[in-house]
Amino acid sequence: MTEPIHIALAGNPNAGKTTLFNYLTGARQHVGNYPGVTVEKKTGACRHGDTELLVTDLPGTYSLTAYSVEELVARDFLVNEKPDVVLNIVDASNIERNLYLTCQFMELGAPVVIALNMIDVAQSRGMDIDSDKLSALLGAPVVPIIARNGKGVDLLLETVIAVGRDQSKQWQSLRLSYGEDLDQVLEDMVPLVEQGHLLTDTYPARWTALKILENDDQILDRAMRADTALAHSLVTRTEQITRHLQSTVEAYPEAIIADHRYGFIKSILRQGVLSQRFDADRLYTSDRIDKVVTHRFLGPLIMAGVLFGLYSFTFNFSMIPAGWLQSLFGLLSKSVDLLLPDGPVKSMLISGVIDGVGGVLGFVPIIMFMFFGIAILEDSGYLARVAFMMDRIFRMFGLHGSSVMPFIVSGGIAGGCAVPGVMATRTLRSPKERMATLLTVPFMNCGAKLPVLALLIGAFFSAHQARYMFLATLFSWGVALIAAKFLRVTVLRGPATPFVMELPPYRFPTFRGLLIHTWERTWQYIKKAGTVILGISILLWAMMTYPGLPAVELDRFEQQRQEVRARFSAALNSGSRTVEAKQLQQMLLAIDNDQAETALRRSLAGRIGLAMEPLSRLAGFDWRTNISLLGGFAAKEVIVSTLGTAYSLGAVDPDQSSSLKDRLIRDPNWNAVVALAFLAFIMFYAPCLVTVVCIAKEAGSWKWALFSIVFNTALAFLMAVAIYQGGIALGIG
Amino acid sequence: MTKNPPKFSCPFARREQSEGEPDCVSLPENATPLSSACGRKRFRVCRIKGNRRNCARMAQMGVLPGSEIEMLCPGGRRQCMFRVKGSTVTLDPQCAEQILVTPL
């Protein structure tokens, strides 16, 4: 059996790396049409003929200089892992910019195979690319492909295998000229690097010298640690040439190096590689759309319309399947009630498992439709435009334009997750802007909060569900931005950093891609409901059931029942059967409810809920609501399931059983004002446990994780109290 | 293997300029910050000011002295959007202020 070939997929953001990775490995990696989808490297395997290929999908980068986390991840992988082949995905429709990175792979000496992706898009733009000539001029194989449908991929893999199996190949650096001044400095520096063995075990000597000239932080740091004296002398030489270039051409060495790389690329393209059938200066469809979609006045209106349309689409189309699921779980509950004898097992199955997990799974259709809508926005490239338009607003609140993506990922359009959102803050360079983003992304309406929002909006504001959902989203953004501003003028004071972003072109999403994205996210939600949520639901059921009532109390309730039955028996004997039977049933039900409520009050969770009630009453929350909020600290999905369990424990008669929504509407402790206060609290109180751990990890300190719990809960409570007390004062509620 | 850059691409000193191309080393009189450039016009980058990291970032994106850019959404006090080397790039007003351009 032959050795597997290690391939690194590398290229610019939006060049199609993840699409090709998914095509090759059959993986279901998330693909988005905006920069920064792949922040960390991902690995997979595939087989072509008898050769096994181990594929690593690297983050999209524009260069190999340490300006961002993505660039560091990609570069470190290449130099440390030394893959057999670097499969450089080049967007053929944007070839000049994409070859800039190719140039740097070749300067590093990596064995490159170029996949000229989206060749169809390039042709539709009137661009004819002679891949053979490009290959001859660059000295690397070039294969035109269309990663979306796999066209050309077989030939690409054959080329990759041929290069990977070529025993004679070595990592050989491309030597570009960067102009007289810099070439001379490199001539001086390279022998010093070689003689001093400065980082030569990892990087080629000329490349190290070049990175020192480019003022690369990571290389400078490593060089200083490896040989301080030598590194100092190289930095001194760099400073001399920098001063010289500043005084003569007012430019830094890295700008001149970049210019020469672009010059090299242009010289290649102009040697018959690229010919333009149409006017090269014409505006592409993408640009024409942008002129309208990102227009100063029209843009925000369109954005608001699109988001509102997303909610209307979600709620209008998901209600029918959601109703089916609700009926299914109702039927399941009744079946278990009929089949099993009374006891803890039946109680756990109905109140813990079916009401708990069923309450969460009942929202799968809403989640699915929401994710489908978001996938359309993302894959079409519109989300990147949202980031562009939101940047200006973000700046006013002390955040960076790059903060937009973590906010959207966390649920900025409802339905995301704060955990990847917190991790996505890595793309921010300023530590203070990053921290402010990190602490405020949990305010977004993640997929776990969505069921709570849908439940309460459906129960108390059912006439305008889409409108209230839209308002809830706007509210979450508003509070997050104000909180960010507060943090940036108090504990996280500091200057703003510049915003530079490349916008991907608009693309028609593929139906397969949309289904994959929708299913991926929905499956994650279902999986969580079947594992974590199931576990927490059973735990909370146990907390709400035990220690149970003492024997004396049980005897008291049983005695009450016997007394009622005795009266019933006397009444039946006297002949008034129907009226008396109804009265008896009501009295027995009242005793059952009284017993269930007393048991819940005396349970562990009930005692905690009751202890919190004097404070929570200020916001209108009773002790049963407090139990669900406690569960929400573990995972926000649990709020609905715990409410379901807490409110089902009091309704033991199957004939009286109804959905949680109906129970809340009928409950005297609930009304529109309490629902609003509860919504506000849910949206902004402490992040779930996993997010808190993630914040601690990303912030590098538990101090900030603790801060997020205390700050968010205090803020949420103050808002809930203000809403409830305001509502009461106005006589609403 | 050493490849030499072509003469036409480098806008910096000690290179041969194309006929009619403005001299970007000495700043032309009509040079304005990109943030003040109005209308959907084409411009040539003359100079990039600001800190070193910012200049490097711009260079990497292809925004270099001598580069031609086409304005898609003029900036002013808000973000501007332009095409450079086949890509659509957006900048905040502070960044756009650091890029000096002349109309083409």
Side-chain angles (χ1 to χ4, degrees):
Chain A
M1 186 161 163
T2 53
E3 283 285 301
I5 294 175
H6 294 255
I7 305 169
L9 284 188
N12 279 199
N14 281 301
K17 293 175 301 301
T18 309
T19 308
L20 183 63
F21 179 80
N22 285 349
Y23 185 86
L24 291 177
T25 63
R28 297 283 180 267
Q29 293 295 348
H30 177 67
V31 182
N33 188 13
Y34 63 73
V37 166
T38 317
V39 179
E40 289 180 325
K41 58 182 189 287
K42 299 179 182 85
T43 53
C46 68
R47 182 168 282 280
H48 188 75
D50 61 347
T51 309
E52 194 186 357
L53 302 165
L54 301 176
V55 190
T56 304
D57 182 22
L58 296 178
T61 61
Y62 295 109
S63 80
L64 286 183
T65 305
Y67 294 135
S68 67
V69 178
E70 293 95 326
E71 284 161 355
L72 279 176
V73 170
R75 186 170 86 181
D76 285 348
F77 180 83
L78 293 180
V79 295
N80 295 330
E81 305 294 325
K82 290 231 173 351
D84 296 313
V85 180
V86 174
L87 182 48
N88 178 203
I89 319 299
V90 167
D91 176 359
S93 64
N94 191 4
I95 191 167
E96 187 178 353
R97 160 69 63 79
N98 277 242
L99 286 178
Y100 183 79
L101 182 64
T102 312
C103 240
Q104 293 180 71
F105 289 136
M106 297 177 83
E107 283 173 298
L108 185 61
V112 175
V113 171
I114 296 167
L116 207 55
N117 191 23
M118 292 184 261
I119 197 79
D120 52 335
V121 179
Q123 281 165 352
S124 71
R125 290 183 171 191
M127 297 165 74
D128 287 327
I129 299 168
D130 186 337
S131 53
D132 293 336
K133 194 168 250 178
L134 179 63
S135 173
L137 289 168
L138 278 176
V142 178
V143 182
I145 64 160
I146 304 170
R148 274 153 67 104
N149 60 18
K151 196 174 171 188
V153 173
D154 281 344
L155 178 61
L156 177 71
L157 291 182
E158 280 159 25
T159 312
V160 164
I161 291 167
V163 172
R165 280 187 178 156
D166 182 2
Q167 300 294 325
S168 64
K169 76 166 190 316
Q170 298 252 319
W171 279 53
Q172 195 178 14
S173 304
L174 166 73
R175 288 170 65 93
L176 284 180
S177 169
Y178 307 106
E180 199 180 308
D181 289 332
L182 291 179
D183 283 350
Q184 184 56 56
V185 176
L186 280 172
E187 291 295 315
D188 298 341
M189 288 169 76
V190 172
L192 293 174
V193 174
E194 282 172 342
Q195 284 157 21
H197 300 290
L198 186 66
L199 309 177
T200 46
D201 53 336
T202 317
Y203 311 106
R206 185 178 163 86
W207 195 84
T208 304
L210 194 63
K211 289 296 142 189
I212 291 173
L213 270 177
E214 286 184 301
N215 197 34
D216 185 297
D217 290 340
Q218 189 199 42
I219 299 296
L220 282 170
D221 184 50
R222 285 185 182 171
M224 285 292 180
R225 274 188 279 130
D227 188 337
T228 311
L230 177 54
H232 265 300
S233 75
L234 293 169
V235 168
T236 307
R237 186 74 186 91
T238 302
E239 284 168 353
Q240 283 170 359
I241 187 66
T242 304
R243 278 196 298 273
H244 171 69
L245 292 171
Q246 279 283 298
S247 64
T248 53
V249 291
E250 293 189 56
Y252 291 104
E254 52 270 33
I256 293 177
I257 291 167
D259 189 56
H260 279 80
R261 284 185 187 132
Y262 274 115
F264 168 66
I265 294 161
K266 205 155 205 169
S267 73
I268 285 177
L269 295 179
R270 288 198 178 176
Q271 288 178 59
V273 169
L274 176 66
S275 48
Q276 195 83 38
R277 275 182 280 121
F278 309 149
D279 175 13
D281 296 335
R282 76 185 191 129
L283 283 182
Y284 299 132
T285 312
S286 213
D287 301 328
R288 289 176 200 278
I289 297 170
D290 271 335
K291 280 182 187 294
V292 180
V293 166
T294 61
H295 187 270
R296 187 173 304 206
F297 303 114
L298 282 176
L301 289 176
I302 293 171
M303 183 167 68
V306 166
L307 297 187
F308 186 68
L310 175 70
Y311 295 128
S312 299
F313 163 77
T314 303
F315 285 97
N316 289 339
F317 289 93
S318 64
M319 280 304 145
I320 297 168
W324 293 340
L325 267 182
Q326 210 169 50
S327 306
L328 179 74
F329 284 113
L331 194 71
L332 208 61
S333 197
K334 278 182 184 172
S335 308
V336 172
D337 189 58
L338 285 173
L339 291 172
L340 293 181
D342 285 344
V345 175
K346 179 176 166 179
S347 170
M348 187 195 73
L349 282 176
I350 294 178
S351 301
V353 179
I354 299 173
D355 278 1
V357 177
V360 176
L361 288 181
F363 289 94
V364 163
I366 297 178
I367 297 283
M368 210 180 217
F369 277 78
M370 182 67 87
F371 286 158
F372 187 79
I374 292 172
I376 294 174
L377 299 185
E378 199 177 292
D379 289 10
S380 63
Y382 184 69
L383 272 194
R385 272 70 187 177
V386 172
F388 165 72
M389 286 184 281
M390 296 297 284
D391 174 61
R392 187 168 157 232
I393 298 166
F394 267 53
R395 301 213 139 251
M396 286 158 55
F397 290 94
L399 293 175
H400 188 263
S402 301
S403 309
V404 176
M405 280 310 163
F407 271 76
I408 289 174
V409 171
S410 301
I413 312 181
C417 178
V419 173
V422 165
M423 288 196 283
T425 59
R426 289 177 193 174
T427 52
L428 282 127
R429 287 177 191 84
S430 155
K432 290 192 172 165
E433 285 173 341
R434 185 180 175 217
M435 196 59 74
T437 311
L438 196 92
L439 294 172
T440 48
V441 290
F443 287 149
M444 296 291 102
N445 292 328
C446 65
K449 291 179 194 168
L450 208 58
V452 193
L453 265 63
L455 171 77
L456 294 177
I457 290 172
F460 295 97
F461 313 99
S462 55
H464 306 287
Q465 290 195 57
R467 196 179 300 171
Y468 274 94
M469 200 68 196
F470 182 62
L471 285 175
T473 302
L474 291 184
F475 189 46
S476 69
W477 279 89
V479 171
L481 291 176
I482 292 167
K485 183 72 180 175
F486 172 75
L487 293 171
R488 290 284 281 141
V489 296
T490 53
V491 286
L492 295 169
R493 253 198 311 260
T497 50
F499 173 70
V500 182
M501 183 181 179
E502 184 177 337
L503 291 181
Y506 287 103
R507 285 176 190 141
F508 269 114
T510 61
F511 193 63
R512 182 173 174 264
L514 292 177
L515 289 182
I516 286 174
H517 298 170
T518 308
W519 177 243
E520 263 173 21
R521 289 165 168 173
T522 309
W523 178 237
Q524 275 175 7
Y525 181 83
I526 295 170
K527 235 173 22 183
K528 203 173 170 189
T531 52
V532 180
I533 308 301
L534 175 66
I536 297 171
S537 289
I538 292 173
L539 179 73
L540 285 167
W541 166 83
M543 284 175 71
M544 284 188 268
T545 307
Y546 296 102
L549 288 174
V552 182
E553 284 287 318
L554 288 173
D555 289 345
R556 185 170 65 84
F557 283 113
E558 196 48 46
Q559 198 179 348
Q560 284 178 11
R561 281 190 196 94
Q562 279 172 8
E563 280 171 15
V564 169
R565 282 193 193 109
R567 269 165 47 196
F568 172 68
S569 158
L572 281 181
N573 291 337
S574 67
S576 57
R577 199 178 193 86
T578 315
V579 176
E580 289 298 328
K582 272 186 185 169
Q583 276 180 355
L584 169 78
Q585 204 172 22
Q586 280 173 357
M587 288 174 82
L588 283 177
L589 184 63
I591 294 167
D592 286 348
N593 280 342
D594 192 17
Q595 183 181 345
E597 190 176 323
T598 311
L600 185 60
R601 278 175 180 274
R602 294 195 183 178
S603 70
L604 184 60
R607 286 174 199 187
I608 298 171
L610 280 165
M612 288 164 64
E613 203 178 39
L615 188 66
S616 70
R617 271 286 173 202
L618 292 171
F621 307 155
D622 70 349
W623 59 280
R624 280 193 284 197
T625 310
N626 292 346
I627 298 172
S628 73
L629 292 173
L630 275 177
F633 272 115
K636 295 282 183 280
E637 291 93 333
V638 173
I639 294 169
V640 170
S641 59
T642 314
L643 275 177
T645 309
Y647 282 85
S648 71
L649 283 173
V652 289
D653 188 338
D655 293 336
Q656 295 291 317
S657 70
S658 55
S659 71
L660 174 59
K661 190 169 86 175
D662 297 330
R663 283 179 216 153
L664 292 181
I665 293 170
R666 282 203 307 269
D667 194 281
N669 283 315
W670 281 85
N671 55 48
V673 175
V674 174
L676 268 185
F678 189 64
L679 278 177
F681 192 80
I682 296 295
M683 282 163 69
F684 305 114
Y685 86 122
C688 68
L689 204 61
V690 185
T691 306
V692 169
V693 172
C694 203
I695 289 174
K697 198 176 147 200
E698 292 297 316
S701 156
W702 275 96
K703 187 185 79 178
W704 285 111
L706 192 66
F707 177 85
S708 76
I709 294 175
V710 176
F711 177 73
N712 293 17
T713 307
L715 178 73
F717 186 66
L718 288 175
M719 286 169 65
V721 170
I723 291 169
Y724 179 70
Q725 298 297 339
I728 295 296
L730 291 170
I732 312 171
Chain B
M1 111 181 110
T2 306
K3 310 262 181 176
N4 289 313
K7 291 174 182 174
F8 52 77
S9 72
C10 182
F12 296 109
R14 291 188 206 90
R15 57 143 197 148
E16 293 178 37
Q17 282 173 273
S18 305
E19 201 176 332
E21 188 183 317
D23 178 3
C24 282
V25 176
S26 57
L27 202 62
E29 279 181 8
N30 59 348
T32 55
L34 187 62
S35 54
S36 310
C38 49
R40 293 163 187 172
K41 288 179 183 170
R42 295 172 64 81
F43 299 91
R44 187 188 299 280
V45 177
C46 276
R47 187 169 297 172
I48 298 165
K49 301 188 292 178
N51 65 43
R52 187 167 181 175
R53 187 167 274 264
N54 187 40
C55 290
R57 189 99 182 127
M58 290 294 125
Q60 170 192 298
M61 305 286 278
V63 184
L64 287 154
S67 304
E68 286 181 19
I69 62 174
E70 183 179 3
M71 195 62 102
L72 296 173
C73 288
R77 284 181 170 187
R78 62 198 289 271
Q79 290 70 11
C80 66
M81 187 193 290
F82 57 88
R83 275 233 328 256
V84 62
K85 297 196 189 300
S87 299
T88 305
V89 176
T90 64
L91 295 181
D92 63 35
Q94 291 74 28
C95 277
E97 186 74 28
Q98 304 293 327
I99 299 169
L100 299 178
V101 294
T102 53
L104 281 175

